[in-house]
Amino acid sequence: MLAKNILRYASTSANLYNFLGDTDFEKHIDIYKGAVANALKAHEDAMTFKVDDLIVEDEFKVLDQPKTNPLIYVTFHTGSYNMLSTLLLKLGREVNVLSDTESVKNSDYNELSELYNTKYKNGCKLEMVNVERDGSIFNVLRQIRKGTATVAYLDGNKGIGGQIKNNSNMLSVNFLKGRVKVRKGLAYISYLLKAPIVLVLNYSIDGLNYIKFYQPFLINEGDKETFCIKAIDKIFQHFEEHVMKFPTQWSNWLYVHNWTDLEYFRDDDENNINKNLGPEYSFNSDRFCPLKLESKFYLFDRKNYSMISIDDELKDVFSHKTSIDERQRLISNLNMSNPSLTRDLFIKQVLI
């Protein structure tokens, strides 16, 4: 496995551990591989018109609304997550997908308009809009006003794109066992234009793709900030329920730490340091993941998302291949031969 993939796996494992409390670490590699495969499937499904077999759940008749009605569709990278855009193209819509600089450079989706227009001959059109470019927001507003279907992924593919986590435009939202940073610009636009937000989620069961349209968030009387907070909180409540039901279908397990308040996961280590002082220690395998990168050994800290370098002579102490009894013997020997190093590992919470 390439170094970048090893680190992505480690981050995925940390995200599963922190957000779900999942300590079945042997399955984390399978979920990581599944998330990568799911992203490839989503791309292939878009290019091979799997939308023709899509099962649509539209209890609130969102798709029956006139094309001129301004709507903002928000979704996440779960299930076959391109189905929303391809469904709208199949229905003959003009679609703007709000994205960032890196994603817009990916030309794969630029051919969708021609591909779908050729098949369905309905005048459909898709454009990837780089919202990080100066002035792009004014074009987005114009397009929404005239009824262009506007799609945005609230999880981003690799993070929060262009915006730092403490940006004033980021809202901190409870999600599973953690907190995430979310752009609130879409909610502001919804409030400004009186264009309802519609949450749309994809999932797959037994090889079949499903898409579910939730009840639109209507703009009631009240101030802008209150509406934004309530709308985004409600969206993430629905998405949390979805992730709990289909945890292996979310491709963003690889990247969710990029838009996470990591301090939320960190213990008060100063309090922990004063606990359990004694002759017996054990490896904190829930928190630390052993890795080998370019012939060097490391421990990946699932709480701090950081690396600790490990000398070669200590690699067996933390190796996955070392039995529990053998590990305890090695730790005891280390404590007797090098108590200062043992103490240092204890302070870092590697040993507990």
Side-chain angles (χ1 to χ4, degrees):
M1 187 184 290
L2 296 176
K4 67 177 183 180
N5 293 333
I6 291 175
L7 292 176
R8 283 178 181 170
Y9 155 69
S11 296
T12 300
S13 178
N15 291 331
L16 291 166
Y17 171 68
N18 287 316
F19 280 98
L20 290 179
D22 186 345
T23 57
D24 191 353
F25 300 117
E26 292 184 2
K27 291 184 178 179
H28 286 189
I29 186 65
D30 294 330
I31 295 176
Y32 164 76
K33 291 178 179 178
V36 174
N38 192 67
L40 294 173
K41 177 183 181 299
H43 176 72
E44 292 172 359
D45 285 354
M47 297 300 174
T48 55
F49 302 104
K50 288 297 177 69
V51 67
D52 287 339
D53 302 316
L54 181 64
I55 299 171
V56 179
E57 300 176 5
D58 187 13
E59 176 185 355
F60 301 99
K61 307 298 181 183
V62 173
L63 295 175
D64 292 341
Q65 295 192 28
K67 292 182 180 180
T68 53
N69 281 13
L71 290 175
I72 300 173
Y73 297 93
V74 297
T75 189
F76 294 81
H77 291 86
T78 180
S80 188
Y81 52 76
N82 291 316
M83 288 294 98
L84 172 58
S85 295
T86 56
L87 175 59
L88 293 171
L89 290 174
K90 181 181 178 180
L91 295 175
R93 300 295 305 274
E94 290 189 16
V95 182
N96 278 349
V97 179
L98 306 188
S99 194
D100 56 22
T101 303
E102 183 176 353
S103 298
V104 169
K105 287 179 181 178
N106 185 340
S107 62
D108 290 342
Y109 295 100
N110 294 334
E111 61 187 273
L112 279 180
S113 289
E114 182 178 354
L115 192 66
Y116 276 71
N117 204 16
T118 299
K119 179 176 176 63
Y120 299 111
K121 298 179 174 58
N122 57 11
C124 64
K125 178 183 177 182
L126 182 143
E127 181 179 352
M128 300 283 285
V129 179
N130 183 357
V131 295
E132 293 179 1
R133 292 183 59 183
D134 291 340
S136 63
I137 187 61
F138 299 108
N139 179 49
V140 170
L141 293 174
R142 285 193 297 270
Q143 293 295 321
I144 293 175
R145 283 192 179 103
K146 78 171 191 176
T148 301
T150 303
V151 176
Y153 290 85
L154 285 192
D155 50 356
N157 192 36
K158 296 179 176 63
I160 56 179
Q163 292 187 8
I164 58 176
K165 293 180 187 179
N166 61 357
N167 188 291
S168 60
N169 291 322
M170 306 299 292
L171 185 66
S172 189
V173 179
N174 289 325
F175 175 61
L176 297 169
K177 295 180 180 294
R179 289 183 67 81
V180 292
K181 299 288 187 175
V182 184
R183 301 178 185 92
K184 54 186 178 181
L186 282 175
Y188 280 162
I189 292 173
S190 172
Y191 185 91
L192 175 66
L193 300 183
K194 299 297 186 281
I197 293 176
V198 180
L199 172 63
V200 186
L201 294 176
N202 296 274
Y203 61 98
S204 302
I205 298 179
D206 297 330
L208 298 176
N209 292 326
Y210 293 77
I211 189 168
K212 180 176 180 178
F213 290 79
Y214 287 75
Q215 185 173 13
F217 293 93
L218 301 178
I219 294 81
N220 299 319
E221 295 298 324
D223 66 273
K224 178 176 63 175
E225 192 69 21
T226 299
F227 167 76
C228 292
I229 293 172
K230 286 184 176 180
I232 293 174
D233 278 344
K234 190 64 176 178
I235 287 169
F236 272 83
Q237 287 175 24
H238 286 312
F239 184 56
E240 180 176 295
E241 294 169 358
H242 182 88
V243 170
M244 292 298 291
K245 191 173 183 179
F246 304 104
T248 62
Q249 294 188 29
W250 189 30
S251 295
N252 208 254
W253 280 125
L254 280 65
Y255 306 109
V256 63
H257 57 283
N258 289 336
W259 43 292
T260 295
D261 181 0
L262 298 181
E263 292 295 331
Y264 193 81
F265 298 130
R266 291 170 180 160
D267 291 334
D268 185 351
D269 287 340
E270 290 299 323
N271 290 334
N272 290 331
I273 289 171
N274 295 320
K275 297 178 181 178
N276 300 326
L277 290 174
E280 297 297 327
Y281 299 94
S282 60
F283 174 42
N284 189 355
S285 57
D286 280 2
R287 177 166 172 174
F288 293 90
C289 175
L291 299 176
K292 184 179 180 181
L293 295 173
E294 299 177 352
S295 300
K296 294 184 179 181
F297 296 93
Y298 300 88
L299 292 175
F300 181 86
D301 187 339
R302 289 184 173 99
K303 287 196 174 183
N304 291 330
Y305 293 81
S306 60
M307 306 276 279
I308 298 176
S309 179
I310 296 296
D311 293 338
D312 286 0
E313 59 268 25
L314 294 179
K315 67 179 186 299
D316 290 340
V317 176
F318 308 110
S319 171
H320 290 299
K321 298 178 182 179
T322 303
S323 68
I324 295 175
D325 290 342
E326 177 63 10
R327 177 177 289 118
Q328 287 306 119
R329 186 186 69 80
L330 292 172
I331 292 174
S332 295
N333 289 344
L334 176 64
N335 191 26
M336 289 187 291
S337 63
N338 196 340
S340 62
L341 175 57
T342 306
R343 171 71 179 179
D344 181 57
L345 292 171
F346 177 76
I347 291 173
K348 293 177 179 176
Q349 298 291 289
V350 172
L351 297 179
I352 54 176

